[in-house]
Amino acid sequence: MDLATAAQVSEAVAEKMLQYRRDKSGWKICREGNGVSVSWRPSVEFPGNLYKGEGIVNGTPEQVWDCVKPLAGTLRAQWDENVNSFEIIESLTDTLLFSRTTTPSAVMKLISPRDFVDLILVRTYEDGTISSNAANVEHPSCPPNPAYVRGFNHPCGCFCEPLPGEPNKTSLVTFFQTDLSGYLPQSVVDSFFQIRGWLLSTAAGTAPGRS
């Protein structure tokens, strides 16, 4: 995929993410407490669900972004137990790249290790919001690996949004809709993603390197 095509694809994903953020309809809360909530609604991208995690985190958007950005060599790889590694396959620009993520087995090994290949765009908005915008792609240098089941992320990412009047707090909103592939009971998949959304919305506040 050349730069022009990648830019076009990633911008379309970013626009979808903005639509998810603005559209308040149809969400059903599946987990909440301590100022954090996880909601879901049917995905229009695949026969699964779109999940949204929301929470208020101590720190500026830049500090929170440093904790949650899904890139190699960042704090995210240190605190996120659901990730084994992030690998940058190819950087097209400073804010547009191809990435491979590997995950360990989960849910008492009912979910075997997965890997995901995504195109990721990082956007910064005029109000100070920082967002990641990602979706699955194929890349010639990263074919399927027999050690992993290849999963597929449909448009997903997060928003680190400043809170008016609260310069040291950030609204963290995550969206994810992932096809794990394989033969998994839907109840196992739903439970995993509900917990996943909860952790992403809370863990950034206690991630290594935070002060």
Side-chain angles (χ1 to χ4, degrees), residues 67-98:
C67 290
V68 301
K69 57 186 177 184
L71 301 176
T74 63
L75 291 172
R76 174 73 173 273
Q78 297 179 34
W79 63 261
D80 193 342
E81 295 181 355
N82 287 308
V83 171
N84 273 341
S85 67
F86 294 112
E87 173 190 354
I88 296 176
I89 302 171
E90 180 183 0
S91 293
L92 299 175
T93 70
D94 290 343
T95 59
L96 183 62
L97 55 94
F98 295 96

Side-chain angles (χ1 to χ4, degrees), residues 3-202:
L3 175 58
T5 302
Q8 183 178 19
V9 170
S10 64
E11 287 294 335
V13 171
E15 289 305 309
K16 284 187 178 181
M17 290 289 293
L18 284 175
Q19 292 174 15
Y20 298 156
R21 183 70 186 101
R22 294 166 178 164
D23 187 357
K24 307 296 184 181
S25 63
W27 294 102
K28 300 178 181 178
I29 293 177
C30 54
R31 189 182 181 106
E32 65 178 337
N34 298 323
V36 176
S37 69
V38 180
S39 307
W40 69 277
R41 70 185 188 192
S43 171
V44 298
E45 303 289 338
F46 79 118
N49 295 326
L50 168 65
Y51 290 90
K52 175 174 66 173
E54 299 178 275
I56 304 301
V57 180
N58 290 325
T60 66
E62 291 81 5
Q63 290 172 325
V64 175
W65 171 246
D66 282 343
C67 290
V68 301
K69 57 186 177 184
L71 301 176
T74 63
L75 291 172
R76 174 73 173 273
Q78 297 179 34
W79 63 261
D80 193 342
E81 295 181 355
N82 287 308
V83 171
N84 273 341
S85 67
F86 294 112
E87 173 190 354
I88 296 176
I89 302 171
E90 180 183 0
S91 293
L92 299 175
T93 70
D94 290 343
T95 59
L96 183 62
L97 55 94
F98 295 96
S99 175
R100 177 175 180 255
T101 304
T102 63
T103 64
S105 59
V107 192
M108 296 180 292
K109 298 186 177 181
L110 290 175
I111 299 176
S112 58
R114 257 66 176 170
D115 74 342
F116 304 85
V117 177
D118 298 302
L119 176 64
I120 301 177
L121 172 67
V122 179
R123 260 188 174 182
T124 301
Y125 294 88
E126 291 184 0
D127 68 350
T129 294
I130 304 171
S131 73
S132 65
N133 308 271
N136 73 85
V137 291
E138 294 184 358
H139 196 281
S141 67
C142 196
N145 185 323
Y148 297 90
V149 175
R150 176 62 52 90
F152 302 95
N153 287 316
H154 297 278
C156 61
C158 72
F159 292 88
C160 299
E161 304 171 342
L163 286 178
E166 297 281 357
N168 294 314
K169 290 188 178 181
T170 296
S171 173
L172 175 61
V173 185
T174 64
F175 294 93
F176 49 99
Q177 47 186 342
T178 301
D179 181 356
L180 291 176
S181 301
Y183 300 97
L184 295 170
Q186 191 61 42
S187 59
V188 171
V189 174
D190 291 341
S191 176
F192 173 75
F193 284 127
Q194 289 173 23
I195 295 172
R196 181 74 174 137
W198 181 269
L199 291 175
L200 283 174
S201 299
T202 58

